[in-house]
Amino acid sequence: MIFRKLLGVCCAAALVFTGQTPVISKPSVTASAASGPVSYYGELQANGNQIYGANVASPVQVKGMSFFWSNWGGQYWNSGTVSRMVDEFKCEILRCSIGVDDYGSLYSGGDVNMLRSVVDAAIAQDVYVIIDWHSHGAHNNPDAAKNFFSEMARDYGKYDNVIFEVYNEPTQVAWETVKSYAEGVISTIRQYSDNLILVGTPTWSQDVDSAAYNPISDSNVAYVLHFYAGTHGSQLRGKADTARNQGVPVFISEWGTVNADGDGSVNYSSTEEWLSWADSNQISWCNWAINNKAEGSSIFGGDGSSLTEAGNYLKKLLNTHAETAQWRNPPVTTTTTTSTTTTTTTITSGSDSQSTTTTTTTLPPQTNDTLHTLQAGSDNIIQGEAYAQMSGIELEECVNGGQNVGYIEVGDWLTYRLLASDQTNYEMIVTYAAETQTGRMKVYLDNQEVSGAFEMPATGGWQSWNTASGVSFTMDAGEHTLKLVAESDGFNIDSFNLKAEAVSSQPQDLAVTMRGDVNCDQIVDISDVILLSRIAAEDKTAPATLQGRVNAECDGNTGITSQDAVMVLRFVARLIQNFPI
Ligand code: IDC
């Protein structure tokens, strides 16, 4: 990420300001428990058609409110409102719409002081803040914008909190005109800052598709999409899908629950369609507006403080988002420490006494590449977190104990390495949770799909666990790879059981299992303990055959671990007569 970040700065410098050296210095921060979203996620950075957080190297979606035009809604532009938005509404981002308009000049130079007080308060509260040149005609006066952003980027460009929005809403003007205006303003900002820059798009920030076909050469730009749920619907979402399919990120810096004129009643059903689309694409948003004008989009009533219908609804939406926001519920970090245990066993037989010492290495539970041994005629429970490889998922603490796989999105996948002791039939039973929607995934065994459409109906909570079955397949004895591919967002996996049928006849390709005989020399002795310890420690040079690995499973728990080595040692030491399986 740091490399990408530096690369982004270099590219921007090379593309935009030939001969100039941008003055950019930022503290480097890593993801940790944070007081707010900015310390946790870090600077927002465009990456493909997503916005990533520099500290988390994964897509980030933040939600919040937009202040109203500074020239008309200035009574709210203060640190008290910022606190109320952060504490009561649970905003992660605030947008400051500095009143500019039609010919691109600020309505009142004094508004800049109000702006500074809000930006300072947002930085102090550790939330993101957009400095929005709120104009419908900014391209008519690029110099005013350059002067303004030069000052803002110089003073605020070093803060990861800050995002620059260079043009709220071009009206009916060609994208090429907007683009050339934006390039001028961007080059001014880039002298001081590599932060995310939002560029408005033609037709009141709806034509994100035209921008995507002719994007700006800068590594940290997103294109602005505005919608009003009472007026806009699937057609406008289609334009945004087109833009995203072209590979550019979109950012909803402003949206309304009402009609496009800012008034009318809250359209709940359309809002829900829009927001679930934004969620599934991890698109950040700010709602219009923090104001008390008598119009449907205002969140405050005539008394200036009570909440309107829109206000109550937004507070509920933002508080619901807070329950699952990643920075408030950071995934548990996987430990990678190993510990070494030395076991000394003294065997006394008559007057002879013999002492053996073995050293086993205990690996952490989430070691990648674990080979899961499957026993016929038995449940074989595999924890979700014990994957070999994955793409896009994260682990989190599970109420069932241990961890579960979470933050799954369409296209994310996990693989598991399996070692089947016998050829038999397996039924897969998945322990999953899906808060509101049906989770769907496909299952592949050695790259062959074996699942069809596998569905996991909603369970009502991210930690409300249920089981789903319906996938079964036959596996030969030996090593296999199981791959789970998400076909939907919105579900977690705790574990899955590969429930194996008993085998009626001895498989052809394996000798009779001799439990504990890991080196297959027909005798169980200390050399098996040593080899088993090496296998458990994932020593790739250990001479382990398939039959040996099958024989190594001695304690009845899936997976070859130091516990199996201890079990064989106890057997060799005659402390036990049989293995528990
Ligand atoms: C609207 C205000 C309205 C004001 C008008 C002035 O809600 O009270 O009279 O601006 O132009 C936008 C704009 C935003 C608009 C909003 C609602 O970015 O400035 O605010 N809207 O019309 N784009 C689509 C809708």
Side-chain angles (χ1 to χ4, degrees), residues 143-164:
D143 287 344
K146 284 183 195 167
N147 287 341
F148 170 79
F149 281 109
S150 165
E151 184 185 327
M152 290 299 128
R154 184 196 64 208
D155 293 352
Y156 290 114
K158 60 180 173 292
Y159 295 101
D160 287 343
N161 310 69
V162 175
I163 298 161
F164 301 102

Side-chain angles (χ1 to χ4, degrees), residues 360-363 530-539 542 560-565:
T360 56
T361 303
T362 313
L363 290 163
I530 292 163
L531 180 56
L532 209 165
S533 300
R534 290 177 63 191
I535 297 171
E538 306 243 317
D539 176 352
I560 302 172
T561 67
S562 58
Q563 294 311 309
D564 295 300

Side-chain angles (χ1 to χ4, degrees), residues 68-69 72 134 136 168-169 204 226 228 254 260-262 288 293 295 297:
F68 197 76
W69 295 79
W72 291 313
H134 205 76
H136 296 96
N168 166 47
E169 289 182 352
W204 296 273
H226 287 174
Y228 279 75
E254 180 190 308
D261 64 0
W288 186 260
K293 180 176 171 177
E295 61 178 5
S297 55

Side-chain angles (χ1 to χ4, degrees), residues 66-133:
S66 176
F67 283 90
F68 197 76
W69 295 79
S70 56
N71 47 302
W72 291 313
Q75 70 273 28
Y76 290 106
W77 286 57
N78 52 54
S79 60
T81 309
V82 172
S83 295
R84 185 167 181 192
M85 287 299 116
V86 173
D87 299 339
E88 181 185 330
F89 278 70
K90 311 247 180 286
C91 288
E92 300 167 318
I93 182 167
L94 293 168
R95 176 181 187 240
C96 305
S97 305
I98 185 122
V100 175
D101 232 299
D102 285 356
Y103 295 95
S105 296
L106 273 179
Y107 274 136
S108 156
D111 290 358
V112 174
N113 297 330
M114 292 188 323
L115 171 71
R116 286 178 174 277
S117 67
V118 171
V119 173
D120 291 343
I123 292 169
Q125 298 266 7
D126 207 14
V127 295
Y128 293 98
V129 60
I130 300 174
I131 298 177
D132 160 38
W133 190 245

Side-chain angles (χ1 to χ4, degrees), residues 363-375 380-383 385-389 415-421 446 475-482 496 498 518 532 534-540 542 544-555 557-562 564:
L363 290 163
Q366 282 91 39
T367 309
N368 281 351
D369 241 21
T370 304
L371 188 63
H372 301 280
T373 313
L374 308 179
Q375 297 297 332
N380 295 286
I381 312 283
I382 296 174
Q383 292 300 321
E385 61 268 34
Y387 56 79
Q389 292 180 310
T415 58
Y416 297 86
R417 293 179 62 217
L418 310 175
L419 177 66
S421 59
D446 301 323
M475 243 188 292
D476 296 334
E479 278 202 47
H480 298 276
T481 301
L482 194 78
F496 55 92
L498 295 178
V518 186
L532 209 165
R534 290 177 63 191
I535 297 171
E538 306 243 317
D539 176 352
K540 301 269 191 280
T545 61
L546 171 59
Q547 180 69 57
R549 286 174 179 275
V550 172
N551 293 353
E553 182 48 64
C554 294
D555 65 355
N557 296 329
T558 324
I560 302 172
T561 67
S562 58
D564 295 300

Side-chain angles (χ1 to χ4, degrees), residues 380-463:
N380 295 286
I381 312 283
I382 296 174
Q383 292 300 321
E385 61 268 34
Y387 56 79
Q389 292 180 310
M390 65 85 178
S391 170
I393 66 95
E394 286 177 36
L395 301 181
E396 60 184 353
E397 233 167 321
C398 180
V399 290
N400 297 344
Q403 292 176 293
N404 64 262
V405 176
Y407 300 96
I408 300 174
E409 283 148 5
V410 181
D412 290 352
W413 54 262
L414 302 129
T415 58
Y416 297 86
R417 293 179 62 217
L418 310 175
L419 177 66
S421 59
D422 304 280
Q423 178 184 338
T424 189
N425 298 325
Y426 293 83
E427 184 191 6
M428 183 171 176
I429 303 159
V430 182
T431 301
Y432 75 97
E435 190 177 45
T436 52
Q437 63 192 62
T438 299
R440 282 177 289 114
M441 69 175 177
K442 280 191 173 162
V443 182
Y444 296 80
L445 179 67
D446 301 323
N447 294 323
Q448 296 286 315
E449 191 201 312
V450 290
S451 57
F454 181 60
E455 299 209 328
M456 294 162 281
T459 61
W462 293 112
Q463 292 290 330

Side-chain angles (χ1 to χ4, degrees), residues 200-223:
T201 53
T203 322
W204 296 273
S205 286
Q206 294 174 39
D207 296 345
V208 279
D209 50 348
S210 62
Y213 287 120
N214 182 10
I216 291 169
S217 297
D218 181 277
S219 59
N220 204 10
V221 159
Y223 298 91

Side-chain angles (χ1 to χ4, degrees), residues 155-345:
D155 293 352
Y156 290 114
K158 60 180 173 292
Y159 295 101
D160 287 343
N161 310 69
V162 175
I163 298 161
F164 301 102
E165 183 171 1
V166 296
Y167 196 157
N168 166 47
E169 289 182 352
T171 54
Q172 273 128 339
V173 50
W175 164 245
E176 285 63 35
T177 305
V178 178
K179 183 184 175 189
S180 93
Y181 157 85
E183 283 169 341
V185 182
I186 290 169
S187 68
T188 303
I189 294 172
R190 290 285 179 248
Q191 291 178 43
Y192 303 103
S193 176
D194 66 353
N195 282 15
L196 180 64
I197 294 178
L198 308 181
V199 180
T201 53
T203 322
W204 296 273
S205 286
Q206 294 174 39
D207 296 345
V208 279
D209 50 348
S210 62
Y213 287 120
N214 182 10
I216 291 169
S217 297
D218 181 277
S219 59
N220 204 10
V221 159
Y223 298 91
V224 172
L225 174 71
H226 287 174
F227 73 85
Y228 279 75
T231 304
H232 307 117
S234 56
Q235 205 188 341
L236 182 53
R237 283 195 290 278
K239 277 170 168 286
D241 288 332
T242 303
R244 298 187 75 253
N245 291 337
Q246 284 296 113
V248 302
V250 303
F251 201 107
I252 302 172
S253 62
E254 180 190 308
W255 70 275
T257 54
V258 298
N259 299 331
D261 64 0
D263 206 359
S265 53
V266 174
N267 188 326
Y268 291 99
S269 58
S270 172
T271 297
E272 278 162 25
E273 282 174 32
W274 270 105
L275 297 186
S276 87
W277 172 84
D279 285 351
S280 62
N281 293 308
Q282 296 272 86
I283 300 173
S284 297
W285 55 250
C286 294
N287 174 267
W288 186 260
I290 303 171
N291 198 26
N292 69 342
K293 180 176 171 177
E295 61 178 5
S297 55
S298 294
I299 60 166
F300 293 126
D303 65 3
S305 177
S306 63
L307 300 185
T308 59
E309 184 178 351
N312 279 309
Y313 184 40
L314 261 298
K315 181 174 161 180
K316 191 167 146 234
L317 287 174
L318 289 163
N319 276 264
T320 303
H321 169 69
E323 287 169 18
T324 53
Q326 190 191 330
W327 70 271
R328 295 183 199 265
N329 310 279
V332 176
T333 324
T334 305
T335 48
T336 50
T337 47
T338 54
S339 66
T340 303
T341 317
T342 304
T343 315
T344 305
T345 310

